[in-house]
Amino acid sequence: MTGCPPISGREADVTTVMLKQRQVWSNSAIELEQVRSGFACALHMHQPTVPTGANNSLISHLQHMLNHPNEGDNHNAEPFAHCYRRLAELLPELINEGCSPRIMLDYSGNLLWGIEQMGRHDIGDALHYLASDPLMQGHVEWLGTFWSHAVAPSTPIPDLKLQISAWQQQFVACFGNAALERVKGFSPPEMALPNHPDTLFEFVKALKEAGYQWLLVQEHSVECMDGSPLRRSQCFVPNRLLARNSQGEEISITALIKTQGSDTKLVGQMQPYYEALGCERQCVGDVEVPSLVSQIADGENGGVMMNEFPEAFRQANFHIRDNPNGTVAINGSEYIEALERIGVNADQFPTIQAVQQHRLWNQIGLNTSAEGVEEAISRLSADDSSFSMEGASWTNNLSWVEGYASVLGPMNQLSAQFHALFDPSVAADPTTTSTKAYKESLLHVLLLETSCFRYWGQGAWTDYAKEIHRRGKELLSQTNFTTPSS
């Protein structure tokens, strides 16, 4: 491993940048009064870090694909690399053609680090242009995410904040403070939303403390406060996601609803635009607003995204240019800020909660305590095998917990060891997070939480997890970190 990624040491700096809370889309040319409907598309990009480089060093899986072109679908390595940079070509082309395209981008910290590790300046320069060029700032919105593509419901609670902050620090290192100041929305990997009350509460709290103003959620991972599914029209306006913990504390954050499930064709063939064409204005409180169709898909994975998306994106934008009909492309923060300017704020949004929580709170009754919550979960799970507090995502046919004790056990163990060793020192002196010992140990904690080590099943991927755990455990055992100066 050639050095550590920039994942710690600047926690206070990035928090200061994120908490400025200024409107960043105030120069948007879109006037909501003239708009009937809109669509917001996001592209999610990720490559995990794997211990398969020279001397088993940590490298990007994209580099691994290039190193082993004849294995599986590794021949797609260069097409993937092109997908990571192609918006820097596609957007200026459309703007020059008289279009006003919009796109939201979600790149994992692993991927940003991997691009740097590989020396791929073609990709890095393209992303810098998308993040920092004044022209692009009116068309591109970057979304925050976890650094190593962790699945929120099964990530140790203390590490939620670390994953969030690590990504922000990676992003600043790549693109600077001004670019981070424009990052207002958060895209959770796999659209995985915790539904255990305490995990969800800490997740939302960590997001808000980190300066995020809204969250993208999958429609089937949330419910109305009476336990019913969201109405279709409700999916096309912002909602207020309410999180209540076992102590009765409440916190909320604005949520945009990603409709339908995991299908790259939804964005690859620009379904959100064509769905938005059939949407009408609706009321939020007593104010009439345009409906917004929100959608996200992998930006590189699968033939549709690799091959069909660019032309479908062009055609949708040409159609908007040539047939003005009140439907526009608009990014998430651009839409929310425009609502604020016409007097619509989060208090007027419909209130929702994580799926299954209505049943849980009904079962608990007045016994609101950590013990009461766990007892209620046990009773409900025993009575109904479909009841789960493992969280929900866009891949509900796949459990992120069942069958992965060999990864989850070590993951939780390494996290606990890390916090036991470093938390007292960090509390005494925050500059502890700038030390090499802290950074290297944190890197292995974050990497072990990568979803890929479970998504792809038992075999090579769980072996990667075991090796990262072994190295992390060895680092912690060799670290005698009693004072910040050691």
Side-chain angles (χ1 to χ4, degrees), residues 184-367:
K184 303 295 183 182
F186 188 88
S187 175
E190 302 294 344
M191 287 290 102
L193 184 72
N195 63 342
H196 187 288
D198 291 332
T199 309
L200 179 62
F201 182 89
E202 294 300 330
F203 178 44
V204 174
K205 181 182 177 185
L207 289 175
K208 297 196 75 169
E209 289 179 347
Y212 287 104
Q213 297 179 5
W214 63 273
L215 170 71
L216 191 63
V217 302
Q218 160 69 26
E219 66 173 312
H220 301 113
S221 68
V222 290
E223 64 186 14
C224 295
M225 298 306 290
D226 63 2
S228 62
L230 273 60
R231 303 180 310 279
R232 193 66 182 160
S233 61
Q234 187 178 345
C235 294
F236 301 142
V237 294
N239 286 254
R240 185 174 74 98
L241 176 64
L242 180 67
R244 176 188 175 201
N245 67 11
S246 59
Q247 305 305 309
E249 297 175 287
E250 294 184 348
I251 194 169
S252 64
I253 191 170
T254 296
L256 292 182
I257 310 300
K258 176 212 175 304
T259 58
Q260 305 180 65
S262 175
D263 187 347
T264 54
K265 291 194 294 293
L266 293 172
V267 174
Q269 297 174 352
M270 292 307 292
Q271 176 273 343
Y273 168 57
Y274 299 104
E275 182 167 10
L277 287 173
C279 293
E280 301 293 337
R281 292 171 68 87
Q282 58 176 302
C283 285
V284 174
D286 57 359
V287 181
E288 192 178 71
V289 305
S291 294
L292 180 73
V293 179
S294 303
Q295 194 55 258
I296 184 170
D298 288 350
E300 82 283 56
N301 203 8
V304 172
M305 291 310 302
M306 280 191 286
N307 304 313
E308 297 180 31
F309 166 74
E311 187 55 31
F313 189 70
R314 288 188 187 95
Q315 290 304 317
N317 279 282
F318 291 153
H319 193 267
I320 294 169
R321 180 196 64 188
D322 299 337
N323 303 278
N325 53 24
T327 296
V328 299
I330 183 168
N331 284 328
S333 293
E334 184 178 18
Y335 177 72
I336 292 170
E337 289 185 9
L339 292 181
E340 292 172 354
R341 289 196 293 274
I342 62 172
V344 181
N345 57 52
D347 293 338
Q348 296 164 276
F349 299 154
T351 303
I352 57 175
Q353 61 191 355
V355 71
Q356 304 272 28
Q357 287 202 347
H358 179 70
R359 291 182 65 188
L360 179 65
W361 294 121
N362 273 357
Q363 179 71 221
I364 292 170
L366 298 176
N367 185 20

Side-chain angles (χ1 to χ4, degrees), residues 6-9 11 14 145-148 150 155-170 206 210 414-415 418-419 422-423 426 433 438 441-443 445-446 449:
I7 53 176
S8 67
E11 291 78 11
V14 297
T145 190
F146 287 149
W147 187 84
S148 71
T155 296
I157 286 176
D159 298 343
L160 297 172
K161 185 177 292 188
L162 297 180
Q163 287 277 1
I164 291 167
S165 181
W167 183 90
Q168 292 174 329
Q169 293 178 69
Q170 180 82 56
L414 190 68
S415 172
F418 172 85
H419 288 283
F422 285 107
D423 283 3
V426 173
T433 63
Y438 182 94
S441 299
L442 174 63
L443 175 62
V445 170
L446 300 183
E449 293 165 358

Side-chain angles (χ1 to χ4, degrees), residues 24-147:
V24 298
W25 292 88
S26 54
N27 293 326
S28 172
I30 295 174
E31 297 180 9
L32 289 193
E33 294 83 352
Q34 309 301 318
V35 176
R36 179 172 49 81
S37 61
F39 65 100
C41 287
L43 299 180
H44 163 64
M45 310 285 195
H46 169 60
Q47 286 289 340
T49 302
V50 292
T52 62
N55 300 314
N56 295 322
S57 60
L58 294 171
I59 62 170
S60 171
H61 185 252
L62 183 63
Q63 181 67 64
H64 176 86
M65 293 173 72
L66 289 166
N67 293 347
H68 302 87
N70 298 319
E71 295 179 8
D73 64 353
N74 287 358
H75 57 277
N76 285 325
E78 274 305 327
F80 277 16
H82 180 249
C83 289
Y84 298 139
R85 67 176 186 267
R86 67 185 176 190
L87 268 299
E89 305 162 1
L90 186 54
L91 292 175
E93 169 194 312
L94 287 168
I95 294 166
N96 288 335
E97 292 278 354
C99 298
S100 187
R102 298 289 191 278
I103 200 72
M104 299 186 293
L105 297 177
D106 151 15
Y107 279 59
S108 72
N110 296 72
L111 178 55
L112 294 174
W113 181 40
I115 290 166
E116 183 181 331
Q117 281 182 299
M118 294 170 67
R120 289 297 299 256
H121 299 296
D122 57 327
I123 305 175
D125 291 348
L127 298 186
H128 196 276
Y129 171 69
L130 292 171
S132 304
D133 186 85
L135 176 63
M136 289 298 100
Q137 289 171 18
H139 301 273
V140 178
E141 175 170 12
W142 286 80
L143 303 178
T145 190
F146 287 149
W147 187 84

Side-chain angles (χ1 to χ4, degrees), residues 342-397:
I342 62 172
V344 181
N345 57 52
D347 293 338
Q348 296 164 276
F349 299 154
T351 303
I352 57 175
Q353 61 191 355
V355 71
Q356 304 272 28
Q357 287 202 347
H358 179 70
R359 291 182 65 188
L360 179 65
W361 294 121
N362 273 357
Q363 179 71 221
I364 292 170
L366 298 176
N367 185 20
T368 304
S369 64
E371 295 78 12
V373 166
E374 295 309 318
E375 289 172 6
I377 291 172
S378 295
R379 287 196 300 271
L380 288 165
S381 300
D383 293 342
D384 182 357
S385 60
S386 68
F387 182 85
S388 170
M389 283 280 132
E390 291 179 7
S393 73
W394 61 12
T395 54
N396 284 343
N397 61 322

